[in-house]
Amino acid sequence: MPTTPKSLLWTRTDTAGAEHAVVDDGHGLTAQGTQLAVDPVPYTCRYQVTTDTDWSSVRLEVEVEGAGWRRSVRLERATQRWRVTAAEQGDLDAVLTAAGHAPAGLPGVEDPDRLADALDVDLGGSPLFNTLPLRRLGLNTAPPDTRHSISVAWVLLPSLTVLPAEQVYTGLGPNRFRYASGGFSAEVEMDADGYVQRYPGLAERAPTR
């Protein structure tokens, strides 16, 4: 059985960065975490996520900040609809442009009804959020080749733009699954509780001592 609470630390392998999350999974999931990354510009991201007892997402709050800018977004699901609120201080787009990157656009989503089919939220660059659909669908204990296609509310970093996204999770046997979205796919290793151990091209769990 899962133990609560637990402390998880991942090192990013796609860029310089890391993520630390403290999670309680006794009745669904309640978690808070911090991400640090340097790509496309250095930023710190703090989040809180909550699911119901069936592991369907009900709330996500994210704040991200860098030199001269700060953004926040909140997603709340009730009566099968998402409410999304966002705020910005400073000018992230100006910072991105000065660093030679394309502007990010606005945080949030213009039409929350585009997220109507999403039962899961996904935060860019975070291996923790794979656990939400894995546990909701029971994929960590399902037979090999069990496949699920899902809709998620995908929060991009550092922009905090929220998009509907289609993702496919396929069980590959004990503690392994394939993640696919768009033209990207990866075979991911997880522990017995459904938390990512190794995500090729993204992150690896730091060993505990």
Side-chain angles (χ1 to χ4, degrees):
M1 294 292 293
T3 57
T4 59
K6 53 170 63 74
S7 180
L8 307 173
L9 178 66
W10 291 273
T11 300
R12 292 281 290 268
T13 57
D14 61 334
T15 187
E19 176 173 356
H20 176 233
V22 177
V23 306
D24 185 328
D25 56 7
H27 304 280
L29 181 76
T30 300
Q32 58 184 6
T34 301
Q35 289 190 51
L36 302 172
V38 300
D39 187 29
V41 292
Y43 66 84
T44 300
C45 169
R46 300 176 182 88
Y47 63 82
Q48 295 182 330
V49 60
T50 305
T51 75
D52 61 20
T53 56
D54 294 327
W55 285 76
S56 295
S57 301
V58 295
R59 185 183 180 95
L60 173 64
E61 295 184 63
V62 188
E63 293 183 349
V64 60
E65 64 179 324
W69 60 273
R70 176 180 296 177
R71 289 185 170 195
S72 64
V73 69
R74 176 186 298 168
L75 290 76
E76 298 173 289
R77 185 170 60 87
T79 62
Q80 299 182 333
R81 297 189 66 184
W82 285 96
R83 179 184 179 188
V84 181
T85 55
E88 178 180 23
Q89 299 176 16
D91 193 342
L92 171 58
D93 281 350
V95 173
L96 289 169
T97 300
H101 301 288
L106 298 175
V109 61
E110 185 173 339
D111 181 9
D113 287 340
R114 297 180 62 202
L115 309 173
D117 294 334
L119 294 178
D120 306 287
V121 292
D122 189 8
L123 181 62
S126 172
L128 174 69
F129 283 75
N130 293 107
T131 299
L132 278 59
L134 285 172
R135 291 290 295 273
R136 180 176 66 82
L137 299 168
L139 196 62
N140 52 326
T141 57
D145 297 324
T146 301
R147 182 181 183 274
H148 294 275
S149 180
I150 63 173
S151 297
V152 305
W154 185 26
V155 182
L156 306 184
L157 284 177
S159 68
L160 299 188
T161 299
V162 183
L163 299 172
E166 300 299 317
Q167 300 179 349
V168 178
Y169 283 78
T170 305
L172 298 176
N175 301 334
R176 293 174 59 243
F177 69 94
R178 179 182 295 109
Y179 167 88
S181 183
F184 173 83
S185 68
E187 294 189 6
V188 184
E189 299 173 14
M190 57 182 168
D191 64 19
D193 294 330
Y195 294 100
V196 169
Q197 292 275 27
R198 181 175 178 270
Y199 192 131
L202 179 65
E204 294 185 358
R205 180 101 66 84
T208 57
R209 297 181 180 179

